[in-house]
């Protein structure tokens, strides 16, 4: 994601870098090397590698390496434009979707945006400047794998695989802003007419037309809903013009490779639409190691300084610690004594609370027995412990007392502790019951 708005004046001052762009054509490779500075763009060189599909990769790879060597750019990794016919370009409007949910929203719809099987598609996306639309590029995984293998065989280092719409969109905003109110730019080559435009109806429009210039322009303008009479530009006229360039450089021929070179020069200011798997991406500049080296130097200096002052700081800290211990020692002793006194008071409080609960539980149980063992039942002896109750007395029918007692919520597991004995018209009983839940 671009970390600066396209209309921020700071972007221009951060536009510093050198890059190589490669456009993969039907027959040839077009290569442009460019250097970007806040004051303008300088084209360092360009070349056409002809019939690369028919020649051994090592042969045309050596031709590419010689081109970079002449310019002193052998360390650079290129941005590669995949053929437009092999990339499905979609612009998806997602108003109201927060940035953290964009990936999930796109993944949910991606299968409906291309004609490939799910496992065959490779895709990448980036949010456009409108903040409500995203640009998505989709191609076949085997297409990416084929070009990765081909470039590796030729010894060509690639930092990114992207497509023309993403490179053009970024190039238009590198040192300025695109034309206000919308525009249409066309590029013609041996494959047909490629149209790129921006307008009120579409944040970005990209398509290929096999028809002629006028028909392609009319169809694209209708899609963009541009104002009547607004003529189509050549892509070379829409892109930021280079300040200097070699005499043999023709921007009309190398327009797309030129846009890719600008993308390679300032990748952090461009749309991060990279279809190249991360494991195959090569570093593009020696300058990328400068922050690491600077941080290592600062870390070494800080380590030396820390090693020098650590003994002094340790002695100071130890002295301050001892003084603080001497000052707070009596306070700590007093606090310990107070803690012990508080704990003793709490223990006595708990004992009183337990005694109060026991008395209440005993009275509740006595009331429960009085309610359940009504006359003519007579209890001659009652003994209560914390977990049991022992009853002895007389009743007309003692056998049913166990059920009566077990129905109480305060008693359980009632049992006779001796056989029932009949004396006259009454039966003597002795029963033991467990108290429900015990008593604290």
């Amino acid at each position: 994601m671009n970390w600066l708005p396209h209309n921020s004046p700071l972007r221009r001052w951060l536009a510093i870098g050198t890059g190589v762009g490669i456009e993969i054509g039907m027959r040839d490779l077009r290569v442009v090397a460019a250097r970007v500075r806040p004051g303008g763009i300088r084209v360092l060189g360009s070349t056409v590698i002809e019939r690369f599909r028919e020649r051994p990769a090592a042969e045309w790879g050596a031709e590419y390496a010689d081109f970079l060597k002449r310019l002193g750019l052998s360390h650079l990794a290129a941005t590669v434009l995949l053929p437009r016919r092999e990339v499905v370009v979609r612009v998806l409007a997602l108003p109201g979707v927060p940035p953290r949910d964009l990936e999930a929203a796109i993944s949910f719809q991606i299968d409906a945006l291309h004609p490939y099987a799910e496992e065959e598609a490779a895709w990448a996306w980036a949010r456009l400047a409108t903040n409500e639309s995203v640009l998505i590029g989709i191609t076949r995984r085997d297409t990416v794998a084929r070009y990765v293998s081909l470039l590796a065989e030729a010894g060509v280092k690639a930092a990114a695989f992207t497509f023309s719409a993403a490179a053009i969109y970024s190039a238009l905003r590198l040192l300025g802003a695109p034309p206000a109110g919308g525009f249409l730019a066309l590029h013609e080559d041996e494959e047909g007419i490629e149209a790129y435009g921006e307008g009120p109806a579409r944040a970005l429009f990209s398509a290929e037309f096999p028809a002629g210039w006028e028909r392609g322009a009319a169809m694209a303008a209708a899609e963009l809903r541009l104002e009547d009479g607004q003529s189509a530009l050549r892509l070379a006229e829409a892109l930021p013009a280079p300040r200097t360039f070699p005499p043999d450089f023709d921007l009309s021929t190398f327009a797309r490779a030129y846009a890719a070179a600008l993308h390679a020069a300032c990748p952090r200011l461009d749309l991060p639409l990279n279809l190249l798997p991360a494991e195959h991406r090569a570093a593009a500049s020696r300058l990328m190691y400068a922050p690491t080296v600077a941080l290592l130097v600062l870390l070494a200096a800080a380590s030396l300084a820390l090693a020098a002052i650590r003994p002094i700081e340790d002695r100071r800290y130890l002295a301050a610690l001892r003084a603080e211990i001497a000052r707070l020692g009596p306070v700590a002793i007093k606090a310990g004594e107070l803690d012990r006194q508080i704990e003793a008071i709490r223990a006595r409080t708990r004992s009183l609370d337990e005694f109060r609960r026991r008395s209440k539980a005993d009275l509740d149980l006595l009331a429960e027995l009085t309610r359940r063992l009504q006359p003519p039942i007579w209890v001659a002896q009652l003994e209560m412990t914390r977990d049991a109750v022992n009853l002895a007395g007389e009743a007309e029918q003692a056998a049913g007392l166990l059920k009566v007692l077990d129905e109480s919520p305060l008693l359980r597991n009632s049992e006779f502790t001796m056989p029932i004995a009949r004396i006259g018209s009454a039966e003597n009983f002795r029963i033991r019951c467990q108290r429900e839940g015990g008593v604290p």
Side-chain angles (χ1 to χ4, degrees):
M1 184 69 63
N2 286 343
W3 55 281
L4 280 176
H6 74 278
N7 55 357
S8 172
L10 188 59
R11 284 179 60 92
R12 185 180 187 94
W13 298 104
L14 294 177
I16 299 174
T18 303
V20 177
I22 301 176
E23 176 194 353
I24 300 178
M26 184 180 296
R27 296 179 58 256
D28 307 329
L29 295 179
R30 294 181 177 86
V31 186
V32 173
R35 178 170 290 133
V36 179
R37 295 293 183 268
I41 302 167
R42 178 186 175 191
V43 175
L44 303 178
S46 63
T47 188
V48 176
I49 299 177
E50 299 179 346
R51 299 179 293 103
F52 76 99
R53 299 180 189 273
E54 306 169 12
R55 298 161 56 191
E59 178 182 322
W60 60 263
E63 185 178 335
Y64 172 80
D66 290 342
F67 168 75
L68 294 186
K69 186 176 181 181
R70 289 196 305 271
L71 300 176
L73 304 177
S74 298
H75 61 284
L76 292 183
T79 290
V80 179
L81 291 188
L82 298 177
R84 180 62 182 81
R85 67 182 183 279
E86 297 183 3
V87 180
V88 177
V89 179
R90 295 285 186 264
V91 177
L92 192 61
L94 297 171
V97 178
R100 67 177 181 274
D101 296 332
L102 280 176
E103 182 79 27
I106 295 169
S107 300
F108 182 74
Q109 302 184 49
I110 194 67
D111 290 341
L113 301 179
H114 62 80
Y116 315 130
E118 181 178 356
E119 64 278 2
E120 295 179 357
W123 55 280
W125 66 275
R127 174 177 278 187
L128 299 179
T130 61
N131 290 328
E132 293 187 350
S133 300
V134 293
L135 176 62
I136 307 171
I138 312 167
T139 189
R140 292 182 181 273
R141 293 184 184 274
D142 57 0
T143 298
V144 175
R146 184 173 73 253
Y147 286 120
V148 166
S149 176
L150 182 63
L151 294 179
E153 187 179 353
V156 176
K157 294 185 295 183
F161 280 7
T162 187
F163 49 95
S164 56
I168 295 168
Y169 182 92
S170 299
L172 292 171
R173 291 160 174 79
L174 186 59
L175 296 178
F183 69 95
L184 172 63
L186 302 181
H187 181 75
E188 187 173 13
D189 60 11
E190 68 272 12
E191 300 180 32
I193 302 288
E194 179 179 0
Y196 175 91
E198 301 177 20
R202 294 199 179 190
L204 186 151
F205 174 75
S206 175
E208 270 197 324
F209 298 101
W213 181 279
E214 293 183 359
R215 181 170 176 78
M219 295 173 65
E223 290 285 345
L224 289 167
R225 300 180 186 175
L226 299 178
E227 296 180 2
D228 294 338
Q230 187 171 352
S231 60
L233 303 172
R234 291 188 178 275
L235 180 58
E237 298 171 347
L239 293 173
R243 188 179 59 182
T244 61
F245 50 88
D248 60 345
F249 178 71
D250 181 10
L251 184 55
S252 296
T253 302
F254 290 92
R256 291 187 291 204
Y258 172 68
L262 300 184
H263 180 283
C266 304
R268 289 175 177 80
L269 298 179
D270 294 337
L271 292 180
L273 267 161
N274 194 347
L275 291 163
L276 182 63
E279 63 270 18
H280 296 296
R281 299 174 189 175
S285 173
R286 296 190 188 104
L287 291 178
M288 68 176 296
Y289 301 108
T292 303
V293 173
L295 289 175
L296 288 175
V297 171
L298 292 175
L299 180 61
S303 300
L304 292 175
L306 184 61
I309 67 173
R310 181 171 294 173
I312 299 173
E313 291 297 326
D314 287 348
R315 286 195 295 272
R316 289 179 179 176
Y317 178 73
L318 184 59
L321 187 61
R322 287 173 177 169
E324 194 70 10
I325 291 173
R327 185 178 69 84
L328 296 177
V331 178
I333 294 173
K334 186 175 181 180
E337 293 176 353
L338 290 174
D339 288 341
R340 287 190 291 274
Q341 294 175 9
I342 291 171
E343 185 59 33
I345 293 172
R346 286 177 177 172
R348 288 196 293 271
T349 302
R350 285 195 295 269
S351 297
L352 292 174
D353 290 341
E354 290 175 2
F355 180 77
R356 187 164 49 251
R357 288 196 296 272
R358 289 174 185 174
S359 299
K360 183 179 182 305
D362 290 344
L363 291 174
D364 290 343
L365 179 57
L366 185 58
E368 178 72 7
L369 291 173
T370 302
R371 186 176 67 84
R372 291 190 174 272
L373 303 177
Q374 296 181 3
I377 300 172
W378 176 59
V379 177
Q381 182 180 351
L382 174 62
E383 179 186 356
M384 287 190 293
T385 64
R386 297 304 95 204
D387 56 2
V389 177
N390 293 296
L391 307 172
E394 296 180 358
E396 291 181 353
Q397 296 292 332
L401 295 180
L402 297 182
K403 179 179 179 183
V404 172
L405 293 173
D406 282 343
E407 289 176 350
S408 170
L410 302 180
L411 299 171
R412 60 186 174 87
N413 299 334
S414 302
E415 61 180 354
F416 290 108
T417 58
M418 61 176 291
I420 298 172
R422 176 169 289 278
I423 301 176
S425 61
E427 293 180 348
N428 285 349
F429 61 88
R430 186 175 293 275
I431 299 174
R432 177 182 175 82
C433 306
Q434 294 183 4
R435 298 180 71 168
E436 187 66 45
V439 179

